[in-house]
Amino acid sequence: MEINDSVALVTGANRGLGRAFAQRLLERGARKVYATARRPETVDLAGVEVLPLDIADPASVRAAAQAAPDVSLLVNNAGIQTGTDLVAGSLDAVRRELETNVLGHLGVIREFAPALARNGGGAVVNVLSAMSWFGAKGAGAYHLSKAAAWAMTNGVRLELAEQGTLVTAVHLGLADTDMSAAWPVAKLAPSDLADAALDGVQADSAEVLADQWSRDVKSRLPLTPEEFDAAMDRALAALMTA
């Protein structure tokens, strides 16, 4: 999959990681970049084609797919984090995260899969998180949604292989976006995340671990749950005191 001369669509492209993806796609030679957002008037990047898209609204997703039939690279970036715990938190908020971060991404893939097939197979990038693999107080719903999104990505990869579509899962720790503004720690620049993901697509990689944090977390998965939790407690404490 070549980025140069591709036709890309980025969800949640009005800020943060989505805006960085759209900008780097233009800079790396994409022929066209559809920059989508729930409020399209908030997209301020020159050179893109702006489309309205609410990934939690099936009608909106369907309309975007009809408006962009030439897409060869889909970047599933839009998502939410409500700061909700699983037991004591709002069940409606938990459902909202699952509807957006899992079923929203899946709905976009389902609608755009035929276009990707017609356009040579192309690629799907799903922006996930190191929190696909660990939970934290105040982020139980986010962990659940990202773990489910990881499983969904792996399943979609198998199903779309027959039509020649690459599906790349991108994991990261903290990027320097509005979502992580309250964390006074070192963060990945959004443009670096976008480049790591796009490099992975060009290399036909099924998975991109975009920073040391995501690589460290995944390396701990063979541990027992007790060992894993203790290691994560130490890593989080070190992160906050660095």
Side-chain angles (χ1 to χ4, degrees):
M1 176 73 201
E2 288 295 329
I3 304 304
N4 186 56
D5 204 39
S6 64
V7 176
L9 183 141
V10 183
T11 68
N14 57 320
R15 61 181 183 174
L17 296 180
R19 189 182 190 281
F21 265 108
Q23 182 168 5
R24 292 301 291 134
L25 281 161
L26 290 172
E27 293 168 352
R28 292 175 64 147
R31 175 161 35 101
K32 184 191 296 186
V33 177
Y34 293 102
T36 75
R38 285 189 299 111
R39 295 172 54 210
E41 70 276 9
T42 62
V43 177
D44 63 356
L45 186 61
V48 298
E49 186 165 329
V50 180
L51 289 177
L53 175 57
D54 179 351
I55 68 170
D57 179 356
S60 177
V61 176
R62 193 172 307 116
Q66 292 170 353
D70 50 349
V71 167
S72 60
L73 172 58
L74 171 64
V75 180
N76 249 329
N77 162 76
I80 61 171
Q81 182 174 6
T82 64
T84 302
D85 287 322
L86 292 173
V87 177
S90 163
L91 194 55
D92 286 341
V94 175
R95 288 194 182 99
R96 185 176 168 223
E97 290 210 34
L98 289 168
E99 287 284 347
T100 303
N101 297 344
V102 185
L103 297 180
H105 282 201
L106 178 58
V108 173
I109 292 170
R110 288 166 63 99
E111 288 292 344
F112 278 91
L116 293 171
R118 289 193 306 270
N119 298 324
V124 175
V125 173
N126 278 356
V127 179
L128 303 176
S129 170
M131 289 197 75
S132 301
W133 306 309
F134 77 97
K137 179 67 176 175
Y142 190 72
H143 168 45
L144 174 62
S145 72
K146 288 301 183 178
W150 181 41
M152 179 272 289
T153 302
N154 292 335
V156 164
R157 181 182 300 113
L158 296 175
E159 295 183 26
L160 294 187
E162 294 181 358
Q163 69 176 43
T165 299
L166 170 71
V167 178
T168 301
V170 178
H171 297 272
L172 68 149
L174 284 175
D176 192 8
T177 65
D178 291 347
M179 187 179 289
S180 67
W183 288 70
V185 298
K187 302 168 190 174
L188 184 66
S191 59
D192 289 343
L193 180 280
D195 275 330
L198 297 177
D199 288 347
V201 170
Q202 289 201 152
D204 292 335
S205 299
E207 182 174 77
V208 172
L209 304 179
D211 56 10
Q212 191 59 47
W213 182 258
S214 58
R215 290 188 286 272
D216 287 345
V217 174
K218 191 173 186 189
S219 73
R220 299 183 185 113
L221 292 181
L223 299 176
T224 67
E226 295 85 358
E227 293 169 337
F228 181 89
D229 289 346
M232 289 306 305
D233 286 344
R234 292 192 296 271
L236 288 167
L239 179 68
M240 295 307 296
T241 58

